[in-house]
Amino acid sequence: MEELRLAARAYYNNSSSDLQNLAINFFRSMDANRDGWVSFQEFTRFLRHNGYNWVNPNMFSQLDTNNDGGLGFWEVLTFYYIIKTRAVWCRACGAQLHGLHFTCVACFDGGQNTFDLCARCYGGRQFRHHHRVFLDNYILLRSKRGISPGTNVNLNQWFRALELAVGVGNLLNVGSTLVGCSIM
């Protein structure tokens, strides 16, 4: 959660005044009694009335960094960042995915809704899906690094190239003191 707090503050500090005003107005819309902080009751009422039923109310305690029973602006800003950028859910167990997760390459590449899985469900093969190639979100992002905007490149090709590179790395390490290279 600390990384999310830092990211939210970084985006806020480097955004336009218009975007900063949106975040301030979001805070004000939660702070119903205008006392400068958001109580648990205000938080849950806001979730219910604004269609954020999918947010677990237990998130309140995770956001309340100083454990004072309420959320100040920076704590609400973290929540704002999470709901605007992190609305990714494991399609197997339903957990909200904040960090590392796995995405179906074919669904991602095809511009469809993505099929995302937490590491536990992907690692334990606790899911059903019609495609077989998944990459974690970091590797997926890195694999797109060389793609020019507007270029339609099949990410399955990138995955095969990555597998080939890993395989060559393993072959080169045979007989040496190095442990074989693997991302899996």
Side-chain angles (χ1 to χ4, degrees), residues 38-101:
V38 176
S39 68
F40 179 74
Q41 290 78 19
E42 288 172 317
F43 181 75
T44 55
R45 188 178 318 121
F46 176 85
L47 296 179
R48 231 182 7 261
H49 290 296
N50 292 285
Y52 295 113
N53 312 13
W54 50 268
V55 175
N56 186 337
N58 293 331
M59 183 179 279
F60 183 88
S61 61
Q62 295 173 350
L63 294 166
D64 185 13
T65 56
N66 57 4
N67 297 313
D68 65 356
L71 305 178
F73 174 74
W74 297 108
E75 293 163 323
V76 169
L77 181 71
T78 301
F79 176 66
Y80 182 71
Y81 174 72
I82 289 169
I83 63 171
K84 294 299 181 186
T85 66
R86 301 286 191 233
V88 180
W89 303 91
C90 177
R91 298 288 286 274
C93 71
Q96 188 174 15
L97 304 174
H98 293 292
L100 182 113
H101 61 277

Side-chain angles (χ1 to χ4, degrees), residues 29 31 40 45 56 77 101 120 123 128 144 146 150 152 163:
S29 69
D31 183 17
F40 179 74
R45 188 178 318 121
N56 186 337
L77 181 71
H101 61 277
R120 181 165 296 164
R128 287 180 181 228
K144 294 215 34 113
N152 186 12
E163 281 184 324

Side-chain angles (χ1 to χ4, degrees), residues 4-150:
L4 295 173
R5 288 184 228 292
L6 293 171
R9 191 176 282 241
Y11 275 117
Y12 179 84
N13 289 337
N14 289 291
S15 66
S16 69
S17 59
D18 289 340
L19 291 176
Q20 290 177 349
N21 285 331
L22 285 174
I24 291 167
N25 289 333
F26 182 83
F27 175 76
R28 288 179 180 154
S29 69
M30 290 182 84
D31 183 17
N33 65 4
R34 302 289 186 249
D35 64 356
W37 64 283
V38 176
S39 68
F40 179 74
Q41 290 78 19
E42 288 172 317
F43 181 75
T44 55
R45 188 178 318 121
F46 176 85
L47 296 179
R48 231 182 7 261
H49 290 296
N50 292 285
Y52 295 113
N53 312 13
W54 50 268
V55 175
N56 186 337
N58 293 331
M59 183 179 279
F60 183 88
S61 61
Q62 295 173 350
L63 294 166
D64 185 13
T65 56
N66 57 4
N67 297 313
D68 65 356
L71 305 178
F73 174 74
W74 297 108
E75 293 163 323
V76 169
L77 181 71
T78 301
F79 176 66
Y80 182 71
Y81 174 72
I82 289 169
I83 63 171
K84 294 299 181 186
T85 66
R86 301 286 191 233
V88 180
W89 303 91
C90 177
R91 298 288 286 274
C93 71
Q96 188 174 15
L97 304 174
H98 293 292
L100 182 113
H101 61 277
F102 291 84
T103 299
C104 171
V105 174
C107 291
F108 181 86
D109 194 28
Q112 306 166 22
N113 290 331
T114 59
F115 188 90
D116 304 296
L117 296 165
C118 68
R120 181 165 296 164
C121 289
Y122 179 70
R125 296 183 183 190
Q126 299 173 357
F127 64 95
R128 287 180 181 228
H129 190 59
H130 54 280
H131 297 128
R132 295 179 23 153
V133 179
F134 286 76
L135 290 176
D136 71 65
N137 52 327
Y138 178 76
I139 297 294
L140 188 62
L141 180 64
R142 295 295 296 208
S143 70
K144 294 215 34 113
R145 185 176 186 183
I147 300 173
S148 302

